[in-house]
Amino acid sequence: MYAGFFGLKQAPFSIAPDPHYLFMSERHREALAHLLYGIEGGGGFVLLSGEIGAGKTTICRCFLEQIPAHCNVAYIFNPKLTVGDLLKTICHEFRVEVRHEGIGPATIKDYLDPLNDYLLRSHAAGQHNILIIDEAQNLTSYVLEQLRLLTNLETSERKLLQIILIGQPELRQMLARPELEQLAQRVVARFHLGALNEAESRQYIQHRMAVAGLQGPLPFSDDALRRIHAITRGVPRRINLLCDRALLGAYATGQARVERAVVDKAAREVFESDDMALTAPARTPSMRWGTLALGALGGAVSAAALFALWTLSNPAPTLPTVALPLTPADPKGSTTQARSAPPQGEPQLPAAREPALDHPAAAASPPEPMPGPPPLSALLRSERAALRELGPLWGQELTHGDPCASALRAQLQCYRTTRMTLHGLREMDRPAVLTLRLPGEDTGWAVLTAITSETATLRAGESSWLMPLTALADVWRGDYATLWRTPPGQTGPLGNGSRGPAAEWLGQQLKTLQARGQMPAANGDLKAGVQTFQRSQGIDSDGLAGPMTFMLVNRAVGVEEPRLRPAQP
């Protein structure tokens, strides 16, 4: 109706899907890169969560277009199913023939047996199988547990079924429940898709107008664009609805430019049930933590039958080098002693006081924590600086050269992984360096000093912050570094712990744990004992005693190491 008035060939904010309008912000490309990484990660679960209207389905469609030819895909968009119906749907999507013999309806076994046969045959033919479940927050805990059991079928190299769960933020909360810990530990990659920032909201509007044929300047004032972002909070679906109505309102009153007053009036019409939309300021990063209110906006936008697709006009995404949280069960996590030199201008931390090791993490009388997240300016500017701050908690000054090399001389080793989880932080129970990536900002580092089932305390320099774990998950993607105490007599890097003083010490500790009843009896050599211990701890039971295994043994037998304090209220 208003397209010709504004010099457009078509309405730019139509709800009809059109691939020409596909637009992806940096975080959408990063989310897509995580999905693409996940399918090459050896199987298990991949989690993509996001607010209502943030573009999860758009990411999924882009992902489907880029899946390699050797991958078979089953897509389920209505997961409100029983276990039997879900298995039936999966078999149907993979074109698996199910034969039921006997009286009565088909049983779960009737579906599982041919599905397992299919997965084995397709793996032997060099094919990968991917199951995508959209709106996964509607799955019950029982159905999720059945999905976990589907991933038990594996070879020595990878699981035979990759499951991608796409859902709203409550999906993350579901996976944090104690009864789903085993599933949470099998998530090989996860990403939470946030809303657009103000600059991205403007780019989104400009892109859609340009694709619709706009030749001149954007017919929105700067004040109107800021107001659109404030009201929609950067959610693309809401931007579509508001911009469409604002352009219609300007056309109806003969205005060639959309001003703030027109946007406010359009918002009252489109979001009439969302009174807060007209008064709430644009969210700053600090307003995102805690429980987000976007779920309440669903009723206001449910009339939009389909979110108009964005146009991917940028180059194909590069796989980010950010953390892809997997599981604390990473026995092959890296143990390193040296990394690249610190960047120029890296701040030198003042010497910290040496605490007593009977309760090292609490000995320094930390300052009262402030509400999180920490501002970027307050974070440490390199991992080395953070490791140096971690040193005093172990009674060591790691101020000279490479902190990991200094730690090795003190019978300590650095451990790094990009696949740690929130559950793993609690299980490891040790101060650690976390890499944080604040929305729209640079990277910083902080030391985790305390944790509970709901909150975490981070420290950098003289400041500390208390924040919900759900908020931490938004800025931390699994990059984790810590120290651990090597066995007596062990000099140099550990290797796999299968020989030398470390192996002798390990064998003695496993026997002690068996005698105490802290692990089942193991018959056989040291590898069999290690496998039994690993299974008892819920980590990969490959029988190789890597750093993760030694850290868990240290904790089980009571080796003197710093522990996390309960987070301060």
Side-chain angles (χ1 to χ4, degrees):
M1 182 181 297
Y2 57 75
F5 181 76
F6 290 103
L8 306 174
K9 298 178 182 178
Q10 54 187 311
F13 300 102
S14 169
I15 62 174
D18 188 338
H20 290 95
Y21 285 96
L22 189 61
F23 172 88
M24 297 181 75
S25 69
E26 183 65 31
R27 68 200 57 174
H28 287 83
R29 290 196 297 273
E30 189 173 353
L32 176 60
H34 276 72
L35 293 183
L36 292 171
Y37 171 85
I39 65 174
E40 299 297 334
F45 287 87
V46 175
L47 173 63
L48 173 62
S49 60
E51 308 299 338
I52 297 172
K56 300 182 297 296
T57 302
T58 301
I59 296 296
C60 184
R61 293 186 181 186
C62 293
F63 171 69
L64 289 172
E65 292 177 357
Q66 299 188 40
I67 287 181
H70 66 277
C71 293
N72 305 316
V73 178
Y75 184 88
I76 297 177
F77 57 88
N78 179 19
K80 288 188 175 181
L81 303 168
T82 64
V83 170
D85 289 339
L86 178 67
L87 292 174
K88 181 178 180 180
T89 304
I90 294 173
C91 289
H92 175 75
E93 289 288 316
F94 282 130
R95 295 180 175 84
V96 176
E97 183 179 359
V98 177
R99 296 180 180 180
H100 170 58
E101 299 178 358
I103 303 174
T107 64
I108 292 178
K109 187 175 186 301
D110 290 328
Y111 296 114
L112 284 179
D113 288 348
L115 180 59
N116 287 343
D117 289 342
Y118 162 78
L119 294 175
L120 287 169
R121 283 187 282 104
S122 57
H123 174 73
Q127 298 176 334
H128 294 171
N129 294 285
I130 303 170
L131 170 62
I132 302 175
I133 301 181
D134 206 350
E135 301 295 341
Q137 75 277 356
N138 293 319
L139 294 170
T140 66
S141 297
Y142 181 70
V143 173
L144 282 168
E145 176 62 14
Q146 181 61 56
L147 286 173
R148 181 188 71 82
L149 295 176
L150 287 180
T151 64
N152 280 344
L153 190 63
E154 58 189 358
T155 67
S156 58
E157 298 177 351
R158 64 178 294 123
K159 294 183 181 297
L160 301 187
L161 181 62
Q162 178 86 64
I163 301 178
I164 297 177
L165 301 177
I166 302 174
Q168 295 172 18
E170 50 264 39
L171 176 61
R172 294 191 302 164
Q173 300 170 10
M174 290 175 61
L175 297 186
R177 296 175 184 170
E179 64 268 23
L180 293 176
E181 280 189 6
Q182 292 187 73
L183 189 153
Q185 292 182 17
R186 298 191 183 191
V187 177
V188 300
R190 67 179 72 203
F191 191 87
H192 182 72
L193 186 61
L196 304 176
N197 60 34
E198 186 173 334
E200 290 168 336
S201 294
R202 182 187 293 259
Q203 293 168 7
Y204 175 72
I205 295 170
Q206 288 175 328
H207 173 76
R208 295 189 70 93
M209 293 289 289
V211 173
L214 181 68
Q215 298 295 326
L218 195 65
F220 289 89
S221 69
D222 289 342
D223 198 22
L225 290 170
R226 285 191 293 268
R227 189 60 173 157
I228 289 170
H229 175 74
I231 293 173
T232 63
R233 301 178 181 91
V235 177
R237 185 182 298 165
R238 290 172 61 85
I239 294 176
N240 276 6
L241 293 171
L242 182 55
C243 286
D244 181 72
R245 186 61 62 91
L247 288 171
L248 180 61
Y251 162 74
T253 56
Q255 301 179 55
R257 187 178 178 87
V258 177
E259 301 292 345
R260 172 175 175 147
V262 175
V263 172
D264 284 341
K265 183 176 180 180
R268 284 191 289 271
E269 295 173 358
V270 176
F271 307 126
E272 57 184 357
S273 63
D274 183 14
D275 297 333
M276 293 300 294
L278 304 183
T279 57
R283 289 182 300 167
T284 62
S286 62
M287 297 172 64
R288 299 179 67 247
W289 315 119
T291 304
L292 298 178
L294 284 178
L297 304 178
V301 297
S302 58
L306 188 61
F307 168 39
L309 289 176
W310 305 341
T311 298
L312 178 58
S313 58
N314 295 303
T318 342
L319 181 62
T321 57
V322 301
L324 297 171
L326 176 64
T327 168
D330 184 16
K332 301 178 183 63
S334 64
T335 299
T336 55
Q337 287 71 45
R339 296 190 73 173
S340 59
Q344 300 236 344
E346 176 187 300
Q348 295 298 315
L349 298 181
R353 291 176 295 173
E354 228 175 87
L357 272 180
D358 56 344
H359 208 326
S365 298
E368 187 71 20
M370 299 174 287
L376 179 65
S377 59
L379 292 176
L380 301 167
R381 300 313 302 153
S382 72
E383 185 193 60
R384 284 192 173 193
L387 285 169
R388 293 190 187 110
E389 188 158 309
L390 189 64
L393 301 181
W394 292 78
Q396 299 296 324
E397 298 289 349
L398 308 179
T399 56
H400 301 292
D402 179 17
C404 289
S406 299
L408 191 60
R409 291 190 288 270
Q411 205 69 21
L412 302 173
Q413 289 196 27
C414 286
Y415 169 79
R416 296 181 178 93
T417 181
T418 61
R419 297 160 43 173
M420 187 56 68
T421 66
L422 293 175
H423 172 77
L425 295 180
R426 292 191 294 266
E427 288 297 300
M428 298 308 298
D429 189 25
R430 63 183 57 230
V433 173
L434 305 185
T435 306
L436 306 181
R437 292 173 173 83
L438 301 184
E441 298 187 83
D442 203 350
T443 298
W445 286 260
V447 175
L448 174 73
T449 60
I451 196 167
T452 69
S453 60
E454 297 181 352
T455 61
T457 302
L458 302 179
R459 194 181 78 193
E462 299 300 321
S463 301
S464 63
W465 299 268
L466 180 70
M467 57 195 301
L469 293 183
T470 53
L472 177 61
D474 285 338
V475 295
W476 175 68
R477 299 165 188 170
D479 283 283
Y480 175 92
T482 191
L483 298 170
W484 64 282
R485 196 173 303 283
T486 54
Q490 177 69 29
T491 58
L494 177 68
N496 64 9
S498 60
R499 61 181 65 88
E504 295 177 8
W505 179 88
L506 180 60
Q508 294 172 357
Q509 305 314 310
L510 294 181
K511 291 178 181 177
T512 299
L513 293 175
Q514 293 175 33
R516 293 178 185 173
Q518 292 180 248
M519 63 172 280
N523 298 319
D525 56 9
L526 177 60
K527 182 175 182 179
V530 171
Q531 286 179 311
T532 300
F533 175 78
Q534 289 170 335
R535 282 193 293 267
S536 72
Q537 298 294 311
I539 65 175
D540 290 343
S541 54
D542 57 5
L544 299 178
M548 179 68 70
T549 300
F550 273 94
M551 283 187 280
L552 292 174
V553 169
N554 284 354
R555 188 187 67 169
V557 301
V559 170
E560 188 178 49
E561 292 181 317
R563 299 297 170 203
L564 293 173
R565 299 174 287 106
Q568 299 183 31

